[in-house]
Amino acid sequence: MDASNRKPVFILLAGLLVLLLVFLLQANIRQLLAELQAMPARQLLQAGNDAKWLDRDKVYAEGIGWIDRALAMQPDNPEYHEIRGRLLLDRCRHWDDVERWDEKRQCWQQALDSLRLAVAGNNQWPYAWANLLLAKYRLLQFDDEFYQ
């Protein structure tokens, strides 16, 4: 290859390398932003005794909002689905069975749906299975999936 052909080939390869680096950088930034959105939701799960919180529903709604934003960036992340399911289970466990029964069942169903997505994304994750079992127990769904 003579010198006149080397320069265009070098420019082409350098351009392809730059495009690859830009793609990788974009993917990493997206993952980083999703993790930043998920952090408040994780902290909420680790906070402990929610009985002392003044407005428990508002705190959980904000946590679910954070994890929903993370899921918007990474919809196939099983950990985010598991976090969402756990937040929903924790949110509605204190609701009155008589006054908010329909809301409570709907909340448990949403938790179950999120936990199913978590298990589908990583079926070797025992916490996702345990929380899925808890959601099914609360919904009184004693079916094959429950006993699996």
Side-chain angles (χ1 to χ4, degrees):
M1 186 181 286
D2 62 18
S4 64
N5 289 336
R6 288 185 189 162
K7 189 173 183 179
V9 170
F10 177 75
I11 291 172
L12 178 65
L13 289 175
L16 289 174
L17 181 62
V18 168
L19 284 175
L20 178 65
L21 290 175
V22 167
F23 174 75
L24 291 174
L25 182 63
Q26 183 267 344
N28 286 331
I29 288 173
R30 188 175 186 86
Q31 183 176 3
L32 176 65
L33 291 174
E35 280 297 312
L36 288 173
Q37 295 293 321
M39 284 176 63
R42 277 195 191 98
Q43 290 171 345
L44 180 59
L45 286 174
Q46 297 170 352
N49 187 5
D50 63 355
K52 296 178 183 177
W53 299 347
L54 295 177
D55 192 352
R56 187 181 308 126
D57 282 345
K58 181 181 176 188
V59 173
Y60 278 113
E62 289 173 359
I64 292 166
W66 282 106
I67 202 66
D68 283 346
R69 286 188 286 282
L71 278 165
M73 291 179 212
Q74 289 191 327
D76 296 330
N77 188 319
E79 182 185 5
Y80 295 167
H81 287 290
E82 198 264 341
I83 291 170
R84 187 177 194 281
R86 287 175 55 199
L87 286 172
L88 285 163
L89 286 173
D90 286 352
R91 177 186 190 190
C92 55
R93 71 186 160 120
H94 295 290
W95 291 352
D96 186 84
D97 286 345
V98 175
E99 292 177 15
R100 297 181 80 176
W101 178 249
D102 291 334
E103 268 184 285
K104 196 169 191 172
R105 284 192 57 81
Q106 185 178 31
C107 181
W108 286 337
Q109 186 60 51
Q110 289 173 357
L112 179 66
D113 295 342
S114 290
L115 292 164
R116 277 188 176 137
L117 291 170
V119 167
N122 183 356
N123 66 0
Q124 300 298 314
W125 198 354
Y127 295 112
W129 279 108
N131 286 306
L132 178 70
L133 180 69
L134 178 60
K136 290 190 76 63
Y137 173 79
R138 289 187 175 163
L139 287 165
L140 303 176
Q141 292 182 1
F142 304 111
D143 53 12
D144 289 340
E145 184 182 38
F146 180 85
Y147 292 109
Q148 181 182 355

